Amino acid sequence: MSNLARRPARKAVIPVAGMGTRFLPATKAVPKELLPVVDRPALQYIVEEAARAGLGEVLMVTGRNKAAIEDFFDRVPELEAALEKKGDADRIAAVHESTEVAQVHFVRQGEARGLGHAVLQAAAFVGDEPFAVLLGDDLIDARDLLLEEMLAVQAEHGGSVIALLDVGMENIDKYGAVAIREDVQEGVVTVTGLVEKPPVEEAPSSLAIIGRYVLAPEVFDVLRETAPGRGGEIQLTDALATLVERGEPVHGVVFGGRRYDTGDKLDYLKAVIRLASERDDLGPALRGWLRDFVTELPAEGASSS
Ligand code: UTP
C-alpha cells in the first residue's frame, strides 16, 4: 500500500449514468436520481451524506439524458432574483442547498457499460488515494451513520470496505452476494469472496452488497482488466472479487439501519412516506391521514369497490 493510500478518503464518486429501466416510463425524461423524495431529489440526500462524512469533493458519473442532474447542482440566478424580490428567504435557502453542500464535478460515462465501468471513469479525479462510492439511487437514513463507520474501518484496516445488508436467501439473487469470515468485531467482517446476482442455491450467504463502498485506488487497475460479467456489464463486484483473490483486504460493515432503493418503485414509495411522515412541516397532517387511510384499507384479497 502506498503512503497516499493510507490517507483517509476525501473524495466521493456517485455513479448516476444507469438507464433506470425499473422506473420507466418516468425515466424516459427524468433521471431516477432526480425523482423527488418528498421535495428534494434522492441525489441531494446522497450528496449531503457524503459531505456530512467529510467528503466535500464529489464526482458524478453521468450519461446521456442526465443533463438535468448538472442543472440541479448549478446556480439559477433568475430564480434566486425572483425569490429575492418576493423576500422569500426560506425558498432561497432551499435553492442554495444543492450548490453549497459540496464541490460537485461531472464526468461522462459515454455508454452505460456497468457500475464497474462507471467507477473507472473516476480514476483521474481520484488519483492514488482511497475514495468512497455512493450509488445515486440508494438512500441511507441520515440518522444511520453507515458511511462514517465504513470510513473508520478503512482508516483502521486499509484496503477496501463494502456495505452489507442481510436481504434473506429469497432475495439474494437480485444483489451481489458475499462469503465472509466473522473475525474482526461485532458488525465488521472479512470478505472472502463475492459473486454478482448468484442463483439462490449458489449464494455464499444472504448478505448483499448495498450502495456504499470505500475503495482502495488499486481497484482501478483491476477494473481496467475486468471483462464484462453478468448482464454483459463490467461489474464492480467482479473487480472486488479479484482484489480478494489477490489477498488485498476487503472488509464488510453489516448495516442494520434504514435503507431505500429509490430505483425500485415500492422502496421509493416507502422512502417518500417514511421521510414525509417524520418531517415537522408535513408529518402531523400526513400521519393523521395515514391512520385513517390504513383503517379503511380492505384486507388483502378482498374487493376494494
Ligand atoms: P442499477 O443497478 O440500479 O442500474 O445501477 P440502472 O441501469 O441505473 O437501473 P435499472 O436496473 O435499469 O432500473 C446502480 C447505480 O449505478 C449507476 C446507476 O445510475 C445507479 O446509480 N450505473 C449503473 C452507472 O452509473 N452506469 C452504469 O453503466 C450502470
CSV table of all heavy atoms in Angstrom, one decimal, residues 155-197:
chain,number,residue,atom,x,y,z
A,155,ALA,N,-9.9,3.4,7.5
A,155,ALA,CA,-8.7,4.1,8.1
A,155,ALA,C,-8.0,3.1,9.0
A,155,ALA,O,-6.7,3.2,9.1
A,155,ALA,CB,-9.2,5.3,8.9
A,156,GLU,N,-8.7,2.2,9.7
A,156,GLU,CA,-8.0,1.3,10.6
A,156,GLU,C,-7.3,0.1,9.9
A,156,GLU,O,-6.2,-0.3,10.2
A,156,GLU,CB,-9.0,0.7,11.6
A,156,GLU,CG,-8.4,-0.1,12.7
A,156,GLU,CD,-9.4,-0.6,13.7
A,156,GLU,OE1,-10.6,-0.1,13.7
A,156,GLU,OE2,-9.0,-1.5,14.5
A,157,HIS,N,-8.0,-0.5,8.9
A,157,HIS,CA,-7.6,-1.7,8.3
A,157,HIS,C,-6.9,-1.5,6.9
A,157,HIS,O,-6.3,-2.5,6.4
A,157,HIS,CB,-8.7,-2.7,8.2
A,157,HIS,CG,-9.3,-3.1,9.5
A,157,HIS,ND1,-8.7,-4.1,10.3
A,157,HIS,CD2,-10.4,-2.7,10.2
A,157,HIS,CE1,-9.4,-4.3,11.4
A,157,HIS,NE2,-10.4,-3.4,11.3
A,158,GLY,N,-7.1,-0.3,6.3
A,158,GLY,CA,-6.7,-0.2,4.9
A,158,GLY,C,-7.5,-0.9,3.9
A,158,GLY,O,-8.6,-1.4,4.3
A,159,GLY,N,-7.1,-1.1,2.7
A,159,GLY,CA,-7.8,-1.9,1.7
A,159,GLY,C,-9.2,-1.2,1.4
A,159,GLY,O,-9.3,0.0,1.3
A,160,SER,N,-10.2,-2.1,1.1
A,160,SER,CA,-11.5,-1.6,0.7
A,160,SER,C,-12.5,-2.1,1.7
A,160,SER,O,-12.3,-3.1,2.4
A,160,SER,CB,-11.8,-2.2,-0.7
A,160,SER,OG,-10.9,-1.7,-1.6
A,161,VAL,N,-13.6,-1.4,1.8
A,161,VAL,CA,-14.7,-1.7,2.7
A,161,VAL,C,-16.0,-1.6,1.9
A,161,VAL,O,-16.3,-0.6,1.2
A,161,VAL,CB,-14.8,-0.7,3.9
A,161,VAL,CG1,-15.9,-1.1,4.9
A,161,VAL,CG2,-13.4,-0.7,4.6
A,162,ILE,N,-16.9,-2.6,2.1
A,162,ILE,CA,-18.2,-2.6,1.4
A,162,ILE,C,-19.3,-2.6,2.5
A,162,ILE,O,-19.1,-3.1,3.6
A,162,ILE,CB,-18.3,-3.7,0.4
A,162,ILE,CG1,-18.2,-5.1,1.0
A,162,ILE,CG2,-17.3,-3.5,-0.7
A,162,ILE,CD1,-18.4,-6.2,0.0
A,163,ALA,N,-20.5,-2.1,2.1
A,163,ALA,CA,-21.6,-2.2,3.0
A,163,ALA,C,-22.5,-3.4,2.7
A,163,ALA,O,-22.7,-3.7,1.5
A,163,ALA,CB,-22.5,-0.9,2.8
A,164,LEU,N,-22.9,-4.1,3.7
A,164,LEU,CA,-23.6,-5.4,3.6
A,164,LEU,C,-25.0,-5.3,4.3
A,164,LEU,O,-25.1,-4.7,5.3
A,164,LEU,CB,-22.8,-6.5,4.1
A,164,LEU,CG,-21.4,-6.7,3.5
A,164,LEU,CD1,-20.7,-7.8,4.3
A,164,LEU,CD2,-21.5,-7.2,2.1
A,165,LEU,N,-26.0,-5.9,3.7
A,165,LEU,CA,-27.3,-6.0,4.3
A,165,LEU,C,-27.8,-7.4,4.2
A,165,LEU,O,-27.7,-8.0,3.1
A,165,LEU,CB,-28.2,-5.0,3.6
A,165,LEU,CG,-29.6,-4.9,4.1
A,165,LEU,CD1,-29.7,-4.2,5.5
A,165,LEU,CD2,-30.5,-4.1,3.1
A,166,ASP,N,-28.4,-7.9,5.2
A,166,ASP,CA,-29.0,-9.3,5.2
A,166,ASP,C,-30.3,-9.1,4.5
A,166,ASP,O,-31.3,-8.6,5.1
A,166,ASP,CB,-29.1,-9.9,6.6
A,166,ASP,CG,-29.3,-11.4,6.5
A,166,ASP,OD1,-29.9,-11.8,5.5
A,166,ASP,OD2,-28.9,-12.1,7.4
A,167,VAL,N,-30.4,-9.6,3.2
A,167,VAL,CA,-31.7,-9.5,2.5
A,167,VAL,C,-32.5,-10.8,2.5
A,167,VAL,O,-33.6,-10.8,1.9
A,167,VAL,CB,-31.5,-9.0,1.0
A,167,VAL,CG1,-30.8,-7.6,1.0
A,167,VAL,CG2,-30.6,-10.0,0.3
A,168,GLY,N,-32.0,-11.8,3.2
A,168,GLY,CA,-32.6,-13.1,3.2
A,168,GLY,C,-32.3,-13.9,1.9
A,168,GLY,O,-32.1,-13.3,0.8
A,169,MET,N,-32.2,-15.2,2.0
A,169,MET,CA,-31.8,-16.0,0.9
A,169,MET,C,-32.8,-15.8,-0.3
A,169,MET,O,-32.4,-15.9,-1.5
A,169,MET,CB,-31.8,-17.5,1.3
A,169,MET,CG,-30.5,-17.9,1.8
A,169,MET,SD,-29.2,-17.6,0.6
A,169,MET,CE,-27.8,-18.3,1.4
A,170,GLU,N,-34.1,-15.6,0.0
A,170,GLU,CA,-35.1,-15.5,-1.1
A,170,GLU,C,-34.8,-14.3,-2.0
A,170,GLU,O,-35.3,-14.2,-3.1
A,170,GLU,CB,-36.5,-15.5,-0.5
A,170,GLU,CG,-36.9,-14.3,0.3
A,170,GLU,CD,-36.4,-14.3,1.8
A,170,GLU,OE1,-35.5,-15.1,2.1
A,170,GLU,OE2,-36.9,-13.4,2.6
A,171,ASN,N,-34.1,-13.3,-1.5
A,171,ASN,CA,-33.8,-12.1,-2.3
A,171,ASN,C,-32.4,-11.9,-2.9
A,171,ASN,O,-32.1,-11.0,-3.6
A,171,ASN,CB,-34.1,-10.8,-1.5
A,171,ASN,CG,-35.6,-10.7,-1.1
A,171,ASN,OD1,-36.5,-10.9,-2.0
A,171,ASN,ND2,-35.9,-10.5,0.1
A,172,ILE,N,-31.5,-12.8,-2.5
A,172,ILE,CA,-30.1,-12.6,-2.7
A,172,ILE,C,-29.8,-12.6,-4.2
A,172,ILE,O,-28.8,-12.0,-4.6
A,172,ILE,CB,-29.3,-13.6,-1.9
A,172,ILE,CG1,-27.8,-13.2,-1.9
A,172,ILE,CG2,-29.4,-15.0,-2.5
A,172,ILE,CD1,-27.5,-11.9,-1.1
A,173,ASP,N,-30.6,-13.3,-5.0
A,173,ASP,CA,-30.3,-13.3,-6.5
A,173,ASP,C,-30.4,-12.0,-7.2
A,173,ASP,O,-30.1,-11.9,-8.4
A,173,ASP,CB,-31.1,-14.4,-7.2
A,173,ASP,CG,-32.6,-14.3,-7.0
A,173,ASP,OD1,-33.0,-13.4,-6.2
A,173,ASP,OD2,-33.3,-15.1,-7.6
A,174,LYS,N,-30.9,-11.0,-6.5
A,174,LYS,CA,-31.0,-9.6,-7.1
A,174,LYS,C,-29.8,-8.8,-6.8
A,174,LYS,O,-29.7,-7.6,-7.2
A,174,LYS,CB,-32.3,-8.9,-6.6
A,174,LYS,CG,-33.6,-9.6,-6.9
A,174,LYS,CD,-34.7,-8.8,-6.4
A,174,LYS,CE,-36.0,-9.6,-6.2
A,174,LYS,NZ,-36.0,-10.4,-5.0
A,175,TYR,N,-28.9,-9.3,-6.0
A,175,TYR,CA,-27.8,-8.5,-5.4
A,175,TYR,C,-26.4,-9.1,-5.7
A,175,TYR,O,-26.4,-10.3,-6.1
A,175,TYR,CB,-27.9,-8.3,-3.9
A,175,TYR,CG,-29.1,-7.5,-3.5
A,175,TYR,CD1,-30.3,-8.2,-3.3
A,175,TYR,CD2,-29.0,-6.2,-3.2
A,175,TYR,CE1,-31.4,-7.4,-2.8
A,175,TYR,CE2,-30.1,-5.5,-2.7
A,175,TYR,CZ,-31.3,-6.1,-2.5
A,175,TYR,OH,-32.4,-5.4,-2.1
A,176,GLY,N,-25.4,-8.4,-5.4
A,176,GLY,CA,-24.0,-9.0,-5.3
A,176,GLY,C,-24.1,-9.7,-3.9
A,176,GLY,O,-24.5,-9.1,-2.9
A,177,ALA,N,-23.5,-10.9,-3.8
A,177,ALA,CA,-23.5,-11.6,-2.5
A,177,ALA,C,-22.1,-11.9,-2.1
A,177,ALA,O,-21.2,-12.0,-2.9
A,177,ALA,CB,-24.3,-13.0,-2.7
A,178,VAL,N,-21.9,-12.1,-0.8
A,178,VAL,CA,-20.5,-12.3,-0.3
A,178,VAL,C,-20.4,-13.5,0.6
A,178,VAL,O,-21.4,-13.9,1.2
A,178,VAL,CB,-20.1,-11.0,0.5
A,178,VAL,CG1,-19.9,-9.8,-0.3
A,178,VAL,CG2,-21.0,-10.8,1.7
A,179,ALA,N,-19.2,-14.0,0.6
A,179,ALA,CA,-18.8,-15.0,1.6
A,179,ALA,C,-17.9,-14.2,2.6
A,179,ALA,O,-17.2,-13.4,2.2
A,179,ALA,CB,-17.9,-16.1,1.0
A,180,ILE,N,-18.1,-14.6,3.9
A,180,ILE,CA,-17.4,-13.8,4.9
A,180,ILE,C,-16.8,-14.7,6.0
A,180,ILE,O,-17.1,-15.9,6.1
A,180,ILE,CB,-18.4,-12.8,5.6
A,180,ILE,CG1,-19.6,-13.6,6.3
A,180,ILE,CG2,-18.9,-11.8,4.7
A,180,ILE,CD1,-20.2,-13.0,7.5
A,181,ARG,N,-15.9,-14.0,6.8
A,181,ARG,CA,-15.4,-14.6,8.0
A,181,ARG,C,-15.6,-13.6,9.1
A,181,ARG,O,-15.3,-12.4,8.9
A,181,ARG,CB,-13.8,-14.8,7.8
A,181,ARG,CG,-13.4,-16.2,8.2
A,181,ARG,CD,-11.9,-16.4,8.1
A,181,ARG,NE,-11.1,-15.2,7.9
A,181,ARG,CZ,-10.3,-14.9,6.8
A,181,ARG,NH1,-10.3,-15.8,5.8
A,181,ARG,NH2,-9.6,-13.9,6.8
A,182,GLU,N,-16.3,-14.1,10.2
A,182,GLU,CA,-16.6,-13.2,11.3
A,182,GLU,C,-15.5,-13.1,12.2
A,182,GLU,O,-15.5,-13.7,13.3
A,182,GLU,CB,-17.9,-13.6,12.0
A,182,GLU,CG,-19.1,-13.5,11.1
A,182,GLU,CD,-20.4,-13.9,11.8
A,182,GLU,OE1,-20.8,-13.1,12.6
A,182,GLU,OE2,-20.9,-14.9,11.4
A,183,ASP,N,-14.4,-12.4,11.9
A,183,ASP,CA,-13.2,-12.4,12.7
A,183,ASP,C,-12.7,-11.0,13.0
A,183,ASP,O,-11.6,-10.9,13.4
A,183,ASP,CB,-12.1,-13.2,11.9
A,183,ASP,CG,-11.8,-12.6,10.6
A,183,ASP,OD1,-12.5,-11.6,10.2
A,183,ASP,OD2,-10.9,-13.0,9.9
A,184,VAL,N,-13.5,-10.0,12.8
A,184,VAL,CA,-13.0,-8.6,13.1
A,184,VAL,C,-13.6,-8.1,14.4
A,184,VAL,O,-13.0,-8.0,15.4
A,184,VAL,CB,-13.3,-7.7,11.9
A,184,VAL,CG1,-12.6,-6.3,12.1
A,184,VAL,CG2,-12.7,-8.3,10.6
A,185,GLN,N,-14.9,-7.7,14.3
A,185,GLN,CA,-15.6,-7.2,15.5
A,185,GLN,C,-17.0,-7.2,15.2
A,185,GLN,O,-17.4,-7.5,14.0
A,185,GLN,CB,-15.1,-5.8,15.9
A,185,GLN,CG,-15.5,-4.8,14.8
A,185,GLN,CD,-14.8,-3.4,14.9
A,185,GLN,OE1,-13.6,-3.4,14.8
A,185,GLN,NE2,-15.6,-2.4,15.1
A,186,GLU,N,-17.9,-7.0,16.2
A,186,GLU,CA,-19.3,-7.0,16.0
A,186,GLU,C,-19.7,-6.1,14.8
A,186,GLU,O,-19.3,-4.9,14.8
A,186,GLU,CB,-19.9,-6.5,17.3
A,186,GLU,CG,-21.4,-6.3,17.3
A,186,GLU,CD,-22.2,-7.6,17.5
A,186,GLU,OE1,-21.7,-8.5,18.3
A,186,GLU,OE2,-23.2,-7.8,16.9
A,187,GLY,N,-20.3,-6.6,13.8
A,187,GLY,CA,-20.8,-5.8,12.7
A,187,GLY,C,-19.8,-5.6,11.6
A,187,GLY,O,-20.1,-4.9,10.6
A,188,VAL,N,-18.5,-6.0,11.8
A,188,VAL,CA,-17.5,-5.8,10.8
A,188,VAL,C,-16.9,-7.2,10.5
A,188,VAL,O,-16.5,-7.9,11.4
A,188,VAL,CB,-16.4,-4.9,11.3
A,188,VAL,CG1,-15.3,-4.7,10.2
A,188,VAL,CG2,-16.9,-3.5,11.7
A,189,VAL,N,-16.9,-7.6,9.2
A,189,VAL,CA,-16.4,-8.9,8.8
A,189,VAL,C,-15.4,-8.8,7.7
A,189,VAL,O,-15.2,-7.8,7.1
A,189,VAL,CB,-17.6,-9.7,8.2
A,189,VAL,CG1,-18.7,-9.9,9.3
A,189,VAL,CG2,-18.2,-9.0,7.0
A,190,THR,N,-14.6,-9.9,7.6
A,190,THR,CA,-13.7,-10.0,6.5
A,190,THR,C,-14.4,-10.7,5.3
A,190,THR,O,-15.1,-11.7,5.4
A,190,THR,CB,-12.5,-10.9,6.8
A,190,THR,OG1,-11.8,-10.3,8.0
A,190,THR,CG2,-11.5,-11.1,5.7
A,191,VAL,N,-14.3,-10.1,4.1
A,191,VAL,CA,-14.9,-10.6,2.9
A,191,VAL,C,-14.0,-11.6,2.3
A,191,VAL,O,-12.8,-11.3,2.0
A,191,VAL,CB,-15.3,-9.5,1.9
A,191,VAL,CG1,-15.9,-10.1,0.6
A,191,VAL,CG2,-16.4,-8.6,2.6
A,192,THR,N,-14.4,-12.9,2.0
A,192,THR,CA,-13.5,-13.9,1.5
A,192,THR,C,-13.9,-14.2,0.0
A,192,THR,O,-13.2,-15.0,-0.7
A,192,THR,CB,-13.6,-15.1,2.3
A,192,THR,OG1,-14.9,-15.6,2.4
A,192,THR,CG2,-13.0,-14.9,3.7
A,193,GLY,N,-15.1,-13.7,-0.4
A,193,GLY,CA,-15.5,-14.0,-1.8
A,193,GLY,C,-16.7,-13.2,-2.2
A,193,GLY,O,-17.5,-12.8,-1.3
A,194,LEU,N,-16.8,-12.8,-3.5
A,194,LEU,CA,-18.0,-12.1,-3.9
A,194,LEU,C,-18.5,-12.6,-5.2
A,194,LEU,O,-17.7,-13.1,-6.1
A,194,LEU,CB,-17.7,-10.6,-4.2
A,194,LEU,CG,-17.0,-9.8,-3.0
A,194,LEU,CD1,-15.5,-9.8,-3.1
A,194,LEU,CD2,-17.5,-8.3,-3.1
A,195,VAL,N,-19.8,-12.6,-5.4
A,195,VAL,CA,-20.4,-13.1,-6.7
A,195,VAL,C,-21.6,-12.2,-7.0
A,195,VAL,O,-22.4,-11.9,-6.1
A,195,VAL,CB,-20.7,-14.6,-6.7
A,195,VAL,CG1,-21.5,-15.0,-5.4
A,195,VAL,CG2,-21.4,-15.0,-7.9
A,196,GLU,N,-21.7,-11.8,-8.2
A,196,GLU,CA,-22.8,-10.9,-8.6
A,196,GLU,C,-24.1,-11.7,-9.0
A,196,GLU,O,-24.0,-12.6,-9.8
A,196,GLU,CB,-22.4,-10.0,-9.8
A,196,GLU,CG,-23.4,-9.0,-10.3
A,196,GLU,CD,-23.7,-7.9,-9.2
A,196,GLU,OE1,-22.9,-7.6,-8.4
A,196,GLU,OE2,-24.8,-7.3,-9.3
A,197,LYS,N,-25.2,-11.3,-8.4
A,197,LYS,CA,-26.5,-11.9,-8.6
A,197,LYS,C,-26.5,-13.4,-8.8
A,197,LYS,O,-26.8,-14.0,-9.9
A,197,LYS,CB,-27.2,-11.3,-9.8
A,197,LYS,CG,-27.4,-9.8,-9.6
A,197,LYS,CD,-28.3,-9.2,-10.7
A,197,LYS,CE,-28.7,-7.7,-10.4
A,197,LYS,NZ,-27.6,-6.8,-10.7
